Amino acid sequence: MPEEELSGLENLEELWLGKNKIESIDGISNLTKLRRLDVQSNRLTKVENLTAQIDTLEELYLSHNGINDEGASCETGLALSFTKLNTIDMGRNRLKSTKPFAHLLALEELWLSGNGITTFEDVEHISVLGTRHGACLEGIYLEMNPVANEFEYRKTLADMIPSLKQIDADMIGGNAAHGIPGGDAGRQQSMVARLRELQDAAIIRARQQSEEQQQDEQQNGEAEPKTASEP
């Protein structure tokens, strides 16, 4: 992502770059107000160059890339102590454990479906996010990982991370009473609905800003003093 392509966008709060064959996250050092970053379905192997967003980034969508544990632990990436990062989607990558996320204390949603997480020991790194004072991790997706086939998978996760309210597409305590479809279909529906909601909100916000800008320009034009016509 060449920095010149994003010049003049310092007030940008959302950046959607899915399916662009992007190999690295860069060129966003001036986007110090960025709250949502979507680089899904690209060619990333590392999460890096997010230092400028350490106090603003809230949601990070990086599914369908090639990021492993090392790539998720870069000093300028997820190793940073983000203060507001509450949602991470890194489904369909090459992760082997949850260790890269254990220090992200603001996390509420962690989506890691379709990786290579094998044992409960690989998950236990994030148990602190559900047991510490003020724990806020409420949802986790680990389906399509080998660990999801373990005996009493849901019960073990619920005991390990007491703050959880949802495991995969199912609410803890069962999903039928909540009218929520289970399995991968439920997850896909919830994710698609969430992304559409965010995109619609971004479009509405952009239209409002455009209308406000046009109104300001019109008002400034009306305020300009008229020159007297020559006789």
Side-chain angles (χ1 to χ4, degrees):
M1 297 182 288
E3 190 166 353
E4 57 270 17
E5 293 186 8
L6 299 173
S7 62
L9 300 175
E10 290 78 9
N11 292 324
L12 197 68
E13 295 186 3
E14 301 180 8
L15 184 59
W16 305 80
L17 297 170
K19 298 182 179 180
N20 276 292
K21 300 180 180 180
I22 294 171
E23 297 182 356
S24 64
I25 299 174
D26 49 32
I28 61 173
S29 59
N30 291 330
L31 306 183
T32 56
K33 297 183 180 180
L34 198 64
R35 296 169 52 232
R36 296 188 183 98
L37 178 60
D38 182 326
V39 200
Q40 298 185 79
S41 301
N42 280 284
R43 299 176 179 177
L44 300 178
T45 58
K46 297 179 180 180
V47 185
E48 54 187 345
N49 299 322
L50 297 176
T51 306
Q53 291 77 36
I54 190 171
D55 291 320
T56 61
L57 194 64
E58 298 175 11
E59 300 176 10
L60 182 61
Y61 301 99
L62 299 174
S63 66
H64 294 269
N65 279 287
I67 304 165
N68 59 19
D69 287 28
E70 182 179 0
S73 304
C74 297
E75 291 185 358
T76 61
L78 287 176
L80 295 167
S81 296
F82 292 93
T83 59
K84 297 181 179 179
L85 185 57
N86 61 65
T87 301
I88 294 178
D89 180 5
M90 288 187 62
R92 299 288 186 174
N93 276 279
R94 298 176 182 174
L95 299 170
K96 297 294 185 181
S97 79
T98 60
K99 188 175 181 179
F101 315 102
H103 64 290
L104 298 173
L105 302 182
L107 268 185
E108 299 175 8
E109 298 282 341
L110 182 58
W111 304 343
L112 302 177
S113 299
N115 280 281
I117 299 171
T118 304
T119 68
F120 289 118
E121 287 75 15
D122 298 325
V123 180
E124 196 169 10
H125 300 287
I126 58 170
S127 62
V128 63
L129 301 182
T131 57
R132 71 181 185 86
H133 178 70
C136 55
L137 183 61
E138 296 185 351
I140 188 167
Y141 285 93
L142 288 171
E143 59 192 355
M144 293 180 288
N145 281 276
V147 70
N149 298 319
E150 290 291 317
F151 178 66
E152 294 193 333
Y153 158 69
R154 286 172 51 81
K155 181 180 184 302
T156 303
L157 283 185
D159 291 343
M160 182 185 299
I161 310 172
S163 63
L164 287 178
K165 296 181 179 178
Q166 181 173 341
I167 297 174
D168 300 329
D170 299 327
M171 302 299 291
I172 289 178
N175 64 350
H178 300 271
I180 299 173
D184 189 43
R187 175 180 183 271
Q188 293 296 332
Q189 289 178 19
S190 62
M191 287 182 61
V192 169
R194 173 64 171 157
L195 291 174
R196 284 178 177 171
E197 179 183 339
L198 294 174
Q199 290 171 337
D200 289 344
I203 292 171
I204 292 173
R205 189 178 301 113
R207 288 175 179 171
Q208 290 175 339
Q209 292 176 345
S210 177
E211 291 174 358
E212 290 173 358
Q213 183 177 359
Q214 290 177 359
Q215 291 176 357
D216 291 342
E217 291 176 353
Q218 185 176 3
Q219 291 174 355
N220 291 336
E222 293 174 352
E224 291 180 359
K226 297 180 180 179
T227 56
S229 57
E230 296 182 0

